[in-house]
Amino acid sequence: AMLLDAPGFYLLAVLFAPFLGPVFGIPFAAVLGSGWFFLQSLFHLLAGGGLIFAIGALTGWISVNLPAGAEFTLISIHNAFSWPNLIVAVVGAGLTTYLLVRSPRQKPLVANIAVVYGLMLPLAASGFALTNGTQVNWIGGLVVFLVHLALSIIIAAVLFLVLGLKPAS
């Protein structure tokens, strides 16, 4: 999707992404007071995020060998903060949390699409910008990812509490 700079392929990438359980495991563990589950979810989030960043970086490195004139406009869009993308991530996190509490045995994959869009695309775009050599600020994508992640975790934690999950002690 990044090499072709095609929005439709970005959509396909988001559709094929797995459920981001660690994003919701962190606030779940925090609400329930489980340190081990918190660390486990954090490790899985870092491992998955590192993989996405590395794939973006590999794609950026490959793009250097493309013919001159290839433009990557969507990379700069995902590496910059925008209110609509933040709203998509936060609403997706809220809806996913609600659906998880309502039906814990069923993964809310449709709502997960918004979370993947808000979190993983900026992370992959950041890796791409790092190795592509363009003037796009790769740190901006990391900042966007961290802001979206922090707000998603806060929204999920608040909703877990509001919807009746109580700490064990």
Side-chain angles (χ1 to χ4, degrees):
M2 289 187 271
L3 288 175
L4 297 175
D5 203 39
F9 290 145
Y10 277 90
L11 179 61
L12 279 178
V14 169
L15 284 173
F16 283 114
F19 179 68
L20 294 180
V23 172
F24 300 98
I26 291 171
F28 185 71
V31 167
L32 295 181
S34 173
W36 176 249
F37 188 61
F38 179 85
L39 291 175
Q40 190 177 23
S41 295
L42 183 62
F43 172 76
H44 287 120
L45 179 64
L46 291 174
L51 183 63
I52 295 294
F53 185 84
I55 289 170
L58 176 64
T59 307
W61 180 75
I62 291 169
S63 73
V64 173
N65 297 320
L66 292 178
E71 292 190 29
F72 305 103
T73 56
L74 293 175
I75 297 300
S76 60
I77 290 171
H78 291 294
N79 270 347
F81 177 80
S82 77
W83 284 104
N85 287 349
L86 177 67
I87 291 169
V88 166
V90 168
V91 168
L95 185 58
T96 302
T97 304
Y98 171 75
L99 293 172
L100 279 171
V101 171
R102 192 185 73 175
S103 305
R105 297 196 194 283
Q106 187 176 8
K107 294 179 186 173
L109 297 177
V110 174
N112 184 60
I113 292 170
V115 180
V116 172
Y117 179 86
L119 294 178
M120 295 302 136
L121 287 184
L123 194 57
S126 177
F128 184 94
L130 175 66
T131 57
N132 178 261
T134 61
Q135 298 301 322
V136 176
N137 181 8
W138 68 275
I139 294 176
L142 285 179
V143 170
V144 169
F145 165 75
L146 291 173
V147 167
H148 289 189
L149 177 65
L151 287 175
S152 296
I153 287 173
I154 290 168
I155 291 296
V158 168
L159 279 174
F160 279 138
L161 287 170
V162 167
L163 294 172
L165 281 139
K166 303 269 190 278
S169 58

